[in-house]
Amino acid sequence: MSNFAKPENALKRAEELINVGQKQDALQSLHDLITSKRYRAWQKPLERIMFKYVELCVDLRKGRFAKDGLIQYRIICQQVNVSSLEEVIKHFMHLSTEKAEQARTQAQALEEALDVDDLEADKRPEDLMLSYVSGEKGKDRSDREVVTPWFKFLWETYRTVLEILRNNSKLEALYAMTAHRAFQFCKQYKRTTEFRRLCEIIRNHLANLNKYRDQRDRPDLSAPESLQLYLDTRFEQLKIATELELWQEAFRSVEDIHGLMCMVKKTPKASLMVVYYAKLTEIFWISASHLNHAYAWLKLFTLQKSFNKNLSQKDLQLIASSVVLAALSVAPYDQTRAASHLEFENEKERNLRMANLIGFNLEPKLDRGDVLSRSSLLSELVSKGVLSCATQEVKDLYHLLEHEFLPLNLALKMQPLLAKISKVGGKLSSASSVPEVQLSQYVPALEKLGTLRLLQQVSKVYQTLKIECLSSMIPFYEFSVVEKIYVDAVKHNFIAMKVDHMKGVMLFGNLGLESDGLRDHLTNLAESLNEGRAMMYPPLKGASKLGEILPTLADTVDKEHKRLLARKSIIEKRKEEQERQLLEMEREEESRRLKLQKITEEAEQKRLASEYEQRKNQRILKEIEERELEEAQALLQEARSRKKGKKPLLEGEKVTKQSLMELALSEQLRERQEMEKKLLKLARTMDYLERAKREESAPLIEAAYQQRLVEERVLHERNQQLEVELSQQRHEGDLKEKNRLARMLENKMSFQERVLHRRQSEYDRRTAEREEQISQMIQARKHEREAKRKKIFYVRSEEERLRKLHEEEEAHKREEAERKRKEEAERRAKLDEIAEKQRQRERELEEKERLRKEALLGRPAELPRPAEPRPVEPAVAAPAAAAAAAAPAPGKYVPRFRRGGTEPAAQTPPDLDRRASRPDDRPPPSSDRWRSDERRPPTFGGSKSSWSSSRVPSRGSER
């Protein structure tokens, strides 16, 4: 935030920023100055600053900045110079309106401008694409881009000004002017949504004005000037609402005007009341409230006849005819007769409200039909002489519909009268506030009324009538429309009739509905069937009634018992339901009591808070009064020190700041009057001196004037003679020059022809060269485009070929990989099969070897038993197995080396070693067999383990 010693410095700084194109910074600096607490006293430079500030706000469309600045400026100059605020606001609205009009003019100019390169082309391709994509026309886009932002800003300007001036009694005229301009803005540009918001804003302002009556500078509605301004605003609102055909808003405006009249207890001028009732007639006619429409016309007729002295007889006759036709257009039956009680009460309240708007004070206790009705309205028209002022056609129509009884010729006699009435109407010359009167608008309602009257009269004469005859009697409508009319009339008990379409007749009279006649048909059918059954199956003679009853007695008792039990259960359920409802009611009552208690506590808290605020405000006011009293004492001392030798002030009287200011103003006024008297005396003295001086100088001036005339005449004659001589000399010189130059005319013409011929040849040569260049450029561009197309085609073809090659290579790789995978799987399967066969042969050889060793050791061949695994090391398990094998068996020969215990068993006997290492008739094991033995885990126990241990050294020696 910049600090300036004087406001003028801020204005200079803002102008410097504007000159360099920094309007936003200039606006911010002025906003900081206006909102600063340092400049709270009004000064003349602040007004210039505000003018510049609102100009920047309008240029940049900163509505929020404008509102803040105007609010601060209102605080500054509210009590000092309100006219300055008025000038600033007027300037602000003028700039906003001017910018909006400029934007609108610019949009129209853009729409009308011819901005095409080719005059034969209607639109450019990009324009066509933009119009099809966006769905907007050129005017719509220009309005949205240029006009709409400025219209939004103008609307925001009106709202801001109304918000600032809403509670200012000194600027009521400006408030009314702003409202009128906002109404005209809505009317000119058909802004219905903004008009509704504007009406709501003004309505809220008036409501807040009545709600907070203790505000400072609050407008006083009891003052005639303020009331007139508010009424003018509301009537303008009503006019604009009807012109925009916003009938709901127009009705609310009528309610606003009526509420304002009730608030101040005063009736506006007759001219305004004429507008009021004229608009009411339009609103009630649009809303199909014909009775209220007729009453409004009657009120309008009374006002025009009483207060309009310039009303002509023709206009009075036209208004009276409108009143009578409006009364006749009301339906002759009550359309709420069959409604419910609630709807009846709502209708009654609505009619009371409408009657208050029209000006008829109704008592709520009276019946609605006794006050506002068609019959009372017509009798009032006759008693007040309205019917006598109407035209002859309207009078004849009234008597025909209300007093004549012509059931066969009623519609035929009405038709020429309606044709004449439909041609009557026009603008009233002597009643400018009354809208244009057209009697043709009542013709459809009168035709409907004529149809109802004809049906009513026919129902009194005939009991049966053919439909074709009735259609010929009513030329206004087709029979389908007539059927809708009489159905509505029968619904509201106006006519008693029905139609038999099978016979093509209409029946009149109090005829019951078909449902009443069919009500007992089923009962009669049941009785007839019972009689027929009794005739076909007669009862047995001698049988008593008790015998007929006894067979079903048990069932009857059982049913009655069940019925009683069901009734008992129903009663118990009802008791439980009643108890539950009582509990719920108690619970609701308790919650209601708690809520009421809470509301009471909140209200008490609010009351305490309001009392605290009131005490605080009283304390502040008391401090302000004490401060003003101190200032008054200081002014008193200053006045005593200045007024020496003058009348001293009284000590005993109460001296305040206001009284001292009034005393000073009266003193200044007296001094100003004395100064004016002195100036007046001096002016008279100067007047006498000036008059005497002029009387003396008048003959001298006349003599000097005559002498000046003689001198100027002589001078004029001399100058004229000199001019004639000079003209003759110039003419002679020009003739000589012409004769001298006449000899060179042929040379000049030949030179001119040569120059023209040379320039023409040069032009033809350059034209030919330019055409040649243009043709070469066209050919070059054509070849270039052809080459570019070929290059693009070649590149695309090459890319397609490479893509296909790549796809073929990928497919070939996938096939090769699949083939290799299948071959590897087959190879592994064969290797596994070969290894399995090899293992099978090794197992067979091992089994044969084991059997051979057992045969050599003399042991019987036994089936091999599976050795039990022991948690011992292989080196320990081999000697143990050998010792077990060497243990002597009873009855058998045991070699010597096996008899000595475990010590010799640890070594292999030489004979056995020789036998084991001696080659026999078996083929030697192959290398694959040794590899399979190395892969096989060692076995423990039996002869197999000894065989394995005996083979270990030989395998080691072989390695």
Side-chain angles (χ1 to χ4, degrees):
M1 177 178 175
S2 303
N3 294 322
F4 299 99
K6 294 181 180 180
E8 295 87 344
N9 298 339
L11 185 59
K12 292 179 181 179
R13 176 60 178 166
E15 291 177 351
E16 292 174 358
L17 292 172
I18 292 171
N19 292 331
V20 296
Q22 297 180 2
K23 292 186 177 181
Q24 182 64 38
D25 296 338
L27 178 63
Q28 187 64 42
S29 63
L30 293 181
H31 181 266
D32 295 340
L33 176 74
I34 294 168
T35 57
S36 175
K37 295 182 179 180
R38 185 175 180 181
Y39 304 101
R40 289 298 185 186
W42 184 83
Q43 305 174 27
K44 187 64 177 176
L46 285 178
E47 184 175 352
R48 298 198 301 272
I49 290 174
M50 282 304 299
F51 280 127
K52 181 61 68 175
Y53 180 78
V54 296
E55 289 175 4
L56 289 173
C57 290
V58 172
D59 290 340
L60 299 176
R61 291 203 297 266
K62 298 291 184 180
R64 179 62 60 184
F65 276 82
K67 184 176 182 180
D68 294 343
L70 289 174
I71 290 173
Q72 293 297 327
Y73 193 65
R74 180 188 64 181
I75 296 172
I76 292 172
C77 63
Q78 176 69 34
Q79 303 299 330
V80 182
N81 191 1
V82 184
S83 60
S84 177
L85 176 63
E86 182 178 0
E87 294 298 328
V88 172
I89 289 176
K90 286 182 179 179
H91 185 62
F92 179 44
M93 288 195 296
H94 172 70
L95 290 176
S96 302
T97 308
E98 187 177 3
K99 287 289 185 180
E101 290 296 332
Q102 288 179 1
R104 186 163 172 258
T105 307
Q106 182 182 358
Q108 292 178 355
L110 289 174
E111 181 66 20
E112 296 173 359
L114 186 61
D115 189 14
V116 291
D117 296 332
D118 188 3
L119 293 177
E120 296 180 358
D122 293 337
K123 289 186 178 180
R124 292 177 296 178
E126 53 268 22
D127 293 339
L128 289 172
M129 291 175 65
L130 183 60
S131 64
Y132 283 120
V133 170
S134 63
E136 296 178 338
K137 296 181 179 180
K139 184 177 185 303
D140 296 335
R141 285 197 300 273
S142 62
D143 288 346
R144 177 168 52 82
E145 295 172 359
V146 181
V147 182
T148 304
W150 282 111
F151 276 9
K152 286 182 179 179
F153 182 76
L154 181 58
W155 167 246
E156 188 177 356
T157 300
Y158 289 138
R159 291 190 60 178
T160 300
V161 174
L162 290 174
E163 186 69 23
I164 291 171
L165 302 177
R166 61 190 178 93
N167 289 331
N168 200 324
S169 59
K170 300 177 181 179
L171 295 175
E172 290 177 341
L174 183 58
Y175 179 85
M177 184 193 74
T178 306
H180 282 256
R181 293 179 67 175
F183 288 142
Q184 292 300 323
F185 166 77
C186 298
K187 173 187 173 183
Q188 183 179 0
Y189 301 110
K190 307 295 182 184
R191 308 304 304 173
T192 57
T193 305
E194 285 75 11
F195 180 76
R196 292 191 186 94
R197 292 175 183 170
L198 180 61
C199 295
E200 193 64 29
I201 288 169
I202 296 176
R203 197 172 292 116
N204 291 334
H205 288 176
L206 183 60
N208 293 331
L209 192 65
N210 295 325
K211 185 177 181 181
Y212 305 104
R213 296 180 178 273
D214 54 347
Q215 289 182 348
R216 192 176 183 181
D217 297 326
R218 172 184 172 274
D220 186 11
L221 293 180
S222 60
E225 297 82 5
S226 301
L227 179 61
Q228 188 62 35
L229 287 174
Y230 273 87
L231 283 176
D232 290 342
T233 303
R234 293 306 186 279
F235 276 103
E236 183 68 20
Q237 174 182 333
L238 177 59
K239 291 178 183 178
I240 300 301
T242 53
E243 290 178 4
L244 292 176
E245 296 183 356
L246 300 174
W247 302 112
Q248 186 176 2
E249 199 62 43
F251 182 74
R252 296 183 69 183
S253 303
V254 168
E255 288 185 329
D256 293 341
I257 295 171
H258 183 264
L260 196 60
M261 290 189 294
C262 294
M263 188 188 305
V264 298
K265 306 297 182 183
K266 292 182 181 179
T267 304
K269 298 178 181 178
S271 59
L272 293 179
M273 293 306 297
V274 168
V275 177
Y276 175 80
Y277 285 113
K279 299 304 179 183
L280 264 182
T281 57
E282 295 183 28
I283 295 170
F284 285 141
W285 181 257
I286 292 297
S287 61
S289 182
H290 294 168
L291 183 60
N292 296 321
H293 171 76
Y295 271 106
W297 261 116
L298 177 59
K299 201 73 175 178
L300 183 59
F301 172 80
T302 306
L303 283 172
Q304 287 287 345
K305 188 176 180 181
S306 302
F307 296 99
N308 194 352
K309 304 301 180 182
N310 300 323
L311 190 64
S312 62
Q313 185 64 29
K314 182 180 178 181
D315 295 343
L316 181 64
Q317 195 176 29
L318 190 57
I319 296 175
S321 301
S322 299
V323 176
V324 176
L325 293 180
L328 290 175
S329 300
V330 181
Y333 51 82
D334 189 2
Q335 297 184 356
T336 60
R337 185 177 298 278
S340 62
H341 178 70
L342 181 60
E343 293 177 356
F344 182 79
E345 291 297 326
N346 292 335
E347 182 69 18
K348 186 175 181 180
E349 184 180 355
R350 176 179 173 273
N351 282 289
L352 288 173
R353 181 180 169 195
M354 296 302 163
N356 288 328
L357 290 179
I358 297 171
F360 291 89
N361 296 321
L362 302 181
E363 295 294 335
K365 295 182 180 179
L366 299 177
D367 188 9
R368 172 184 161 278
D370 296 337
V371 182
L372 285 180
S373 64
R374 184 175 183 272
S375 58
S376 61
L377 177 60
L378 291 175
S379 61
E380 190 172 359
L381 294 181
V382 175
S383 62
K384 290 186 177 181
V386 180
L387 185 61
S388 61
C389 297
T391 60
Q392 187 61 37
E393 292 83 3
V394 175
K395 293 178 184 178
D396 296 341
L397 184 64
Y398 171 78
H399 289 291
L400 186 64
L401 291 174
E402 298 299 326
H403 301 291
E404 298 290 338
F405 187 79
L406 299 170
L408 298 179
N409 300 326
L410 180 64
L412 298 177
K413 289 189 176 183
M414 278 181 61
Q415 198 167 8
L417 295 176
L418 293 178
K420 292 179 181 179
I421 289 173
S422 62
K423 298 177 181 179
V424 179
K427 185 70 176 176
L428 302 182
S429 59
S430 57
S432 59
S433 300
V434 180
E436 184 178 0
V437 178
Q438 293 293 340
L439 301 183
S440 58
Q441 64 179 349
Y442 301 108
V443 170
L446 293 173
E447 291 176 350
K448 182 179 179 182
L449 177 64
T451 304
L452 289 172
R453 289 298 185 196
L454 188 144
L455 291 174
Q456 185 184 23
Q457 294 176 10
V458 167
S459 65
K460 294 179 181 179
V461 177
Y462 298 98
Q463 289 185 351
T464 306
L465 186 67
K466 289 186 178 180
I467 295 176
E468 294 82 1
C469 181
L470 182 65
S471 300
S472 63
M473 291 165 60
I474 303 176
F476 309 133
Y477 305 116
E478 297 179 355
F479 184 72
S480 59
V481 181
V482 176
E483 193 171 7
K484 293 180 181 178
I485 293 173
Y486 82 73
V487 165
D488 188 66
V490 171
K491 177 182 177 182
H492 296 95
N493 297 328
F494 182 69
I495 306 172
M497 59 180 294
K498 67 177 183 179
V499 178
D500 191 349
H501 286 282
M502 294 181 64
K503 298 180 180 179
V505 296
M506 301 184 70
L507 305 176
F508 299 99
N510 295 323
L511 303 173
L513 296 177
E514 294 182 0
S515 59
D516 297 335
L518 294 173
R519 183 173 56 190
D520 297 332
H521 282 187
L522 293 178
T523 305
N524 297 332
L525 178 62
E527 291 177 355
S528 301
L529 290 175
N530 285 331
E531 291 177 359
R533 180 178 176 278
M535 293 174 64
M536 294 173 64
Y537 303 101
L540 297 176
K541 295 183 179 179
S544 62
K545 295 182 179 181
L546 182 62
E548 296 177 357
I549 297 173
L550 285 177
T552 61
L553 183 61
D555 296 338
T556 305
V557 172
D558 191 13
K559 291 179 181 179
E560 187 68 21
H561 180 64
K562 290 181 180 179
R563 188 181 66 80
L564 292 175
L565 291 177
R567 184 172 179 272
K568 183 178 179 181
S569 63
I570 289 171
I571 291 171
E572 290 177 355
K573 288 181 180 179
R574 287 180 179 177
K575 287 182 179 180
E576 292 176 358
E577 183 68 22
Q578 189 175 5
E579 291 176 357
R580 187 180 62 80
Q581 289 179 358
L582 289 175
L583 289 175
E584 288 182 357
M585 289 175 63
E586 291 177 359
R587 194 179 298 110
E588 290 177 358
E589 186 68 26
E590 183 66 21
S591 63
R592 195 181 298 110
R593 186 183 62 79
L594 293 175
K595 184 183 291 184
L596 183 60
Q597 183 179 357
K598 184 178 180 181
I599 293 172
T600 307
E601 292 176 356
E602 291 178 355
E604 184 66 20
Q605 291 178 0
K606 290 181 180 178
R607 186 184 64 81
L608 294 175
S610 63
E611 288 181 356
Y612 172 73
E613 290 292 333
Q614 188 176 1
R615 288 195 299 271
K616 182 179 178 181
N617 293 333
Q618 289 177 358
R619 180 174 55 80
I620 293 172
L621 291 175
K622 187 176 180 181
E623 291 177 357
I624 292 172
E625 289 177 357
E626 291 177 355
R627 192 179 301 112
E628 288 182 353
L629 185 58
E630 291 177 359
E631 293 177 357
Q633 293 291 342
L635 289 174
L636 177 61
Q637 296 295 333
E638 186 179 356
R640 284 181 176 178
S641 62
R642 286 186 305 185
K643 292 187 177 182
K644 293 180 179 180
K646 295 184 179 181
K647 181 181 177 181
L649 297 173
L650 297 177
E651 295 291 344
E653 64 182 4
K654 184 179 180 181
V655 180
T656 60
K657 182 180 179 181
Q658 187 68 24
S659 61
L660 287 175
M661 292 178 66
E662 292 177 356
L663 183 60
L665 289 174
S666 63
E667 186 67 25
Q668 291 178 2
L669 182 60
R670 187 180 60 78
E671 293 177 357
R672 192 180 298 112
Q673 290 175 355
E674 292 178 357
M675 183 60 68
E676 288 176 355
K677 290 180 181 179
K678 292 179 181 180
L679 291 175
L680 183 59
K681 186 177 180 181
L682 181 60
R684 288 176 180 174
T685 305
M686 294 297 293
D687 187 20
Y688 295 151
L689 293 175
E690 186 67 23
R691 186 182 297 112
K693 185 172 63 176
R694 292 189 179 185
E695 288 177 356
E696 292 294 331
S697 61
L700 299 177
I701 293 173
E702 182 66 24
Y705 175 70
Q706 295 297 332
Q707 184 179 358
R708 181 69 179 272
L709 285 177
V710 173
E711 293 176 356
E712 288 183 351
R713 187 180 296 111
V714 174
L715 181 62
H716 174 69
E717 292 176 355
R718 187 168 62 250
N719 290 336
Q720 189 174 9
Q721 184 66 27
L722 183 60
E723 183 66 25
V724 170
E725 294 176 356
L726 290 175
S727 297
Q728 290 177 355
Q729 292 177 4
R730 283 196 298 270
H731 180 67
E732 293 175 356
D734 292 339
L735 289 176
K736 292 179 181 180
E737 186 68 19
K738 179 182 178 182
N739 295 328
R740 188 179 65 84
L741 295 176
R743 296 176 297 173
M744 296 184 290
L745 181 59
E746 295 179 359
N747 297 330
K748 175 253 183 184
M749 296 300 295
S750 61
F751 176 75
Q752 182 178 354
E753 290 177 358
R754 286 198 306 273
V755 170
L756 289 175
H757 180 71
R758 186 175 67 253
R759 290 181 180 178
Q760 182 66 32
S761 60
E762 183 68 20
Y763 172 75
D764 295 340
R765 182 181 60 80
R766 291 189 179 184
T767 302
E769 290 178 357
R770 179 173 177 79
E771 290 178 355
E772 183 67 23
Q773 290 177 0
I774 290 173
S775 61
Q776 291 177 1
M777 289 173 64
I778 291 172
Q779 292 296 328
R781 289 182 182 179
K782 188 182 294 182
H783 292 316
E784 183 179 354
R785 286 196 299 270
E786 187 69 24
K788 188 175 181 180
R789 283 197 296 268
K790 290 181 179 179
K791 183 177 180 181
I792 291 172
F793 176 75
Y794 173 75
V795 170
R796 289 180 180 175
S797 302
E798 189 66 20
E799 289 179 355
E800 184 68 21
R801 186 182 64 80
L802 292 176
R803 185 180 62 79
K804 289 182 179 180
L805 287 176
H806 182 69
E807 290 178 355
E808 292 176 357
E809 289 179 0
E810 290 292 331
H812 181 70
K813 287 181 181 180
R814 286 195 297 272
E815 292 176 358
E816 187 68 20
E818 185 68 21
R819 185 181 61 76
K820 287 183 180 181
R821 185 179 62 77
K822 289 182 179 179
E823 291 178 355
E824 183 66 20
E826 292 175 357
R827 187 179 65 81
R828 287 182 180 178
K830 290 180 180 179
L831 290 177
D832 292 341
E833 185 178 357
I834 293 171
E836 183 64 27
K837 290 180 179 179
Q838 185 68 24
R839 285 194 295 271
Q840 185 68 26
R841 282 198 304 270
E842 289 177 354
R843 283 195 296 272
E844 292 176 356
L845 291 174
E846 288 177 356
E847 184 66 24
K848 289 180 181 180
E849 184 66 21
R850 183 181 64 76
L851 294 175
R852 189 181 64 80
K853 286 183 179 182
E854 289 180 353
L856 290 176
L857 293 174
R859 295 180 60 184
E862 296 179 0
L863 291 175
R865 292 178 297 176
E868 296 181 0
R870 298 178 182 179
V872 294
E873 296 294 330
V876 180
K892 286 187 178 183
Y893 172 77
V894 179
R896 186 182 300 171
F897 63 88
R898 291 184 178 275
R899 298 175 187 173
T902 59
E903 183 177 354
Q907 298 179 356
T908 305
D911 296 336
L912 184 59
D913 194 318
R914 284 194 302 270
R915 284 195 301 271
S917 59
R918 186 179 59 226
D920 51 7
D921 54 355
R922 289 182 290 110
S926 61
S927 61
D928 292 336
R929 180 179 176 183
W930 289 108
R931 283 196 296 272
S932 63
D933 291 338
E934 291 174 358
R935 288 195 302 269
R936 188 168 56 248
T939 56
F940 304 98
S943 61
K944 188 174 182 179
S945 63
S946 62
W947 170 249
S948 300
S949 62
S950 63
R951 289 180 64 184
V952 170
S954 64
R955 281 170 26 193
S957 60
E958 287 178 2
R959 287 177 184 171

